[in-house]
């Protein structure tokens, strides 16, 4: 029993010695402060501020009004009152408006043809056209939605005028113009708030990028500055104690920053969430620990600071495509769907949208929980190789 106590004390003493050594390295190396504190907070403020309105507003569009009637002026005023778009110019013809759209001055334009009001009053069918660019999908889609809405309003107004002249009642007109009334319910994000949806993916993804890089960098620095043997010796020649002690200060700092992220989004900004305080803490851990495990594993496979950091950067950038927030994974090819399981951000997003956003039980995403646990434990596969590298290899640029 006495031997077990001594071994326990030795364990904590070695971990403490390595952790204090790492704290001194962090204190004297600005890159650690930059990657673990400064850049994550800048990313958090940047994304949440950029999309603070929830979705883009006052997108510039234009009008080509060849009719110059009371009806056309009414439609233009109603279109300009929409929140998503703003009429910034009026052109004489379609060619001028098309040129402005190609040059990026406007996202869309509405063409009101000559004689539209006169044709409507005589029961004929005029053609009103709208054009929009999909170079930027979000801007083009929002502009298209407003132009489509105003076109339907024009059609409805003309139809109502004709049917009223025929003696139909308002109820009959409403039934004819809209036989089916849509009752729309957008679950958990009824405001279509892009900030609420995208910041919860982009910010953790960039956090993981920084964690990948700083983890591989910290291990590579031991080789680069010829400190690897000293590092292993300070842990009693035990690579596990060396890794735990080295990553412990990183973990404490990163979990603190991740907790600030969680508090800012779900507490300060009031994003929808169905988890309590414990779920928020687990969300922070799910962001940090798997990323650290992945960074250690990549360095173990490629024991070169430059190459391991390059692979980590590539993997983190690909994560934004593989997460499934912008384009559903289920709609991708089967090999890509299989590949998506190799990205920690994908599993983080699945847990977030299931438990935090929708309030489902954690048992529904247990596979993704196990995957994040597997990423956390990946160093088990390469720990002996890391020790051999630290004791034998010489640093090469």
């Amino acid at each position: 029993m006495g031997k077990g106590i001594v071994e326990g004390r030795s364990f904590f003493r070695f971990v403490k010695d390595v952790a204090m050594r790492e704290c001194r390295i962090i204190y004297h190396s600005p890159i650690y402060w930059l990657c673990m504190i400064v850049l994550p907070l800048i990313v958090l403020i940047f994304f949440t501020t950029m999309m603070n309105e929830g979705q883009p507003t006052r997108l510039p569009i234009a009008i080509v009004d060849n009719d110059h009637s009371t009806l056309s002026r009414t439609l233009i005023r109603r279109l300009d009152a929409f929140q998503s778009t703003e009429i910034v110019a009026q052109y004489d013809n379609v060619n001028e408006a098309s040129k402005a759209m190609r040059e990026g001055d406007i996202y869309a334009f509405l063409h009101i043809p000559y004689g539209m009001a006169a044709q409507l009053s005589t029961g004929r069918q005029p053609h009103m056209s709208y054009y929009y660019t999909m170079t930027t999908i979000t801007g083009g889609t929002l502009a298209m939605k407003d132009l489509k809405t105003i076109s339907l309003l024009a059609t409805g107004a003309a139809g109502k005028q004709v049917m009223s002249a025929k003696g139909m009642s308002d109820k009959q007109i409403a039934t004819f113009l809209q036989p089916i009334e849509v009752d729309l319910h957008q679950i958990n994000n009824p405001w279509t708030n892009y900030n609420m949806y995208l910041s919860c993916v982009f910010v953790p993804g960039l956090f993981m990028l920084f964690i990948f890089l700083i983890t591989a960098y910290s291990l590579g620095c031991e080789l680069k500055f010829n400190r690897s043997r000293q590092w292993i010796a300070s842990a009693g020649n035990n690579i596990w104690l060396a890794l735990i002690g080295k990553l412990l200060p990183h973990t404490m700092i990163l979990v603190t920053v991740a907790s600030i992220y969680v508090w800012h989004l779900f507490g300060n900004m009031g994003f929808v969430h169905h988890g309590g305080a414990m779920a928020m803490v687990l969300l922070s851990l799910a962001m940090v620990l798997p990323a650290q495990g992945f960074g250690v594993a990549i360095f173990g496979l490629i024991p070169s600071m430059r190459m391991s950091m390059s692979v980590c950067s590539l993997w983190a950038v690909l994560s934004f495509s593989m997460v499934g927030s912008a384009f559903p994974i289920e709609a991708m090819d089967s090999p890509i769907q299989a590949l998506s399981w190799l990205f920690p951000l994908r599993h983080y997003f699945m847990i977030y949208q299931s438990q935090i956003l929708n309030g489902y039980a954690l048992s529904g995403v247990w596979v993704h929980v196990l995957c994040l646990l597997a990423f956390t434990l990946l160093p088990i596969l390469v720990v002996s190789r890391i020790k051999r590298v630290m004791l034998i290899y010489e640093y090469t640029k």
Side-chain angles (χ1 to χ4, degrees):
M1 183 175 178
K3 182 179 179 181
I5 295 175
V6 172
E7 290 178 351
R9 288 177 178 174
S10 299
F11 171 85
F12 289 110
R13 179 172 62 84
F14 284 133
V15 171
K16 178 184 175 182
D17 291 343
V18 177
M20 294 303 296
R21 173 182 177 274
E22 189 67 19
C23 287
R24 289 191 293 271
I25 294 174
I26 294 174
Y27 180 77
H28 293 288
S29 301
I31 191 171
Y32 287 95
W33 295 90
L34 187 66
C35 285
M36 292 195 293
I37 299 177
V38 177
L39 287 179
L41 292 179
I42 289 176
V43 165
L44 175 61
I45 295 172
F46 173 77
F47 276 101
T48 54
T49 303
M50 180 180 67
M51 296 183 288
N52 189 45
E53 297 295 330
Q55 59 177 262
T57 58
R58 316 309 295 170
L59 296 171
I61 63 173
I63 295 294
V64 179
D65 185 8
N66 296 138
D67 192 39
H68 301 291
S69 63
T70 303
L71 176 61
S72 67
R73 289 190 291 271
T74 301
L75 292 177
I76 292 172
R77 286 196 301 270
R78 290 182 178 179
L79 178 60
D80 197 35
F82 288 169
Q83 182 180 6
S84 299
T85 53
E86 178 182 10
I87 298 175
V88 297
Q90 291 199 28
Y91 296 99
D92 295 329
N93 54 65
V94 172
N95 291 333
E96 292 181 4
S98 298
K99 181 181 178 182
M101 190 167 64
R102 288 194 300 268
E103 292 176 350
D105 296 332
I106 56 175
Y107 285 94
F109 67 90
L110 177 68
H111 177 218
I112 302 175
Y114 174 77
M116 182 189 70
Q119 293 181 46
L120 285 175
S121 62
T122 57
R124 287 179 290 174
Q125 187 179 27
H127 295 277
M128 186 168 62
S129 306
Y130 55 86
Y131 304 80
Y132 57 95
T133 176
M134 292 300 285
T135 305
T136 55
I137 296 178
T138 302
T141 302
L142 291 175
M144 180 272 292
K145 183 181 71 173
D146 281 2
L147 293 176
K148 183 178 180 180
T149 301
I150 203 67
S151 301
L152 293 175
L153 288 176
T155 304
K160 181 179 180 180
Q161 183 179 3
V162 172
M163 286 182 281
S164 296
K166 294 180 179 180
M168 296 177 65
S169 65
D170 290 342
K171 184 176 181 180
Q172 290 174 319
I173 294 173
T175 304
F176 183 82
L177 293 178
Q178 191 177 13
I180 299 176
E181 184 176 355
V182 178
D183 189 11
L184 178 63
H185 298 274
Q186 298 183 131
I187 305 300
N188 290 324
N189 192 0
W191 314 276
T192 317
N193 189 327
Y194 286 82
N195 194 9
M196 185 179 296
Y197 190 69
L198 295 180
S199 291
C200 296
V201 178
F202 288 157
V203 176
L206 290 171
F207 276 12
M208 287 187 177
L209 168 62
F210 299 138
I211 297 171
F212 288 170
L213 293 177
I214 203 63
T215 302
Y217 173 82
S218 65
L219 293 174
C221 281
E222 300 294 346
L223 286 177
K224 180 177 181 179
F225 298 112
N226 199 25
R227 303 189 306 235
S228 56
R229 294 176 181 84
Q230 177 194 2
W231 171 46
I232 301 298
S234 64
N237 206 37
N238 187 317
I239 184 59
W240 278 111
L241 298 183
L243 277 176
I244 293 173
K246 186 174 188 62
L247 295 178
L248 184 60
H250 296 205
T251 304
M252 295 175 64
I253 295 173
L254 292 168
V255 168
T256 301
V257 175
S259 300
I260 293 174
Y261 153 80
V262 170
W263 168 82
H264 180 61
L265 263 63
F266 301 103
N268 186 38
M269 299 192 68
F271 284 12
V272 174
H273 68 91
H274 292 88
M278 183 57 65
M280 299 296 105
V281 173
L282 294 177
L283 192 66
S284 301
L285 293 176
M287 194 186 310
V288 174
L289 297 182
Q292 286 185 306
F294 183 85
V296 172
I298 293 299
F299 182 83
L301 292 174
I302 311 172
S304 165
M305 183 171 66
R306 180 182 61 189
M307 290 302 297
S308 60
M309 291 180 69
S310 298
V311 172
C312 286
S313 299
L314 175 63
W315 215 251
V317 171
L318 289 176
S319 297
F320 293 104
S321 300
M322 294 295 184
V323 70
S325 61
F327 190 85
I329 292 293
E330 294 77 12
M332 297 183 183
D333 293 337
S334 297
I336 304 299
Q337 294 184 34
L339 187 63
S340 68
W341 289 84
L342 302 179
F343 293 85
L345 185 60
R346 166 63 177 170
H347 305 291
Y348 170 89
F349 175 68
M350 293 300 293
I351 294 173
Y352 160 74
Q353 72 169 356
S354 175
Q355 189 183 23
I356 307 300
L357 186 60
N358 293 308
Y360 299 145
L362 192 61
S363 58
V365 288
W366 64 270
V367 175
H368 299 285
V369 174
L370 290 180
C371 287
L372 288 183
L373 181 61
F375 279 109
T376 304
L377 299 178
L378 273 180
I380 295 175
L381 303 177
V382 297
V383 66
S384 58
R385 177 177 170 82
I386 292 177
K387 182 177 182 180
R388 185 168 63 252
V389 166
M390 294 297 172
L391 295 177
I392 299 175
Y393 283 18
E394 296 292 337
Y395 175 76
T396 56
K397 294 183 180 180

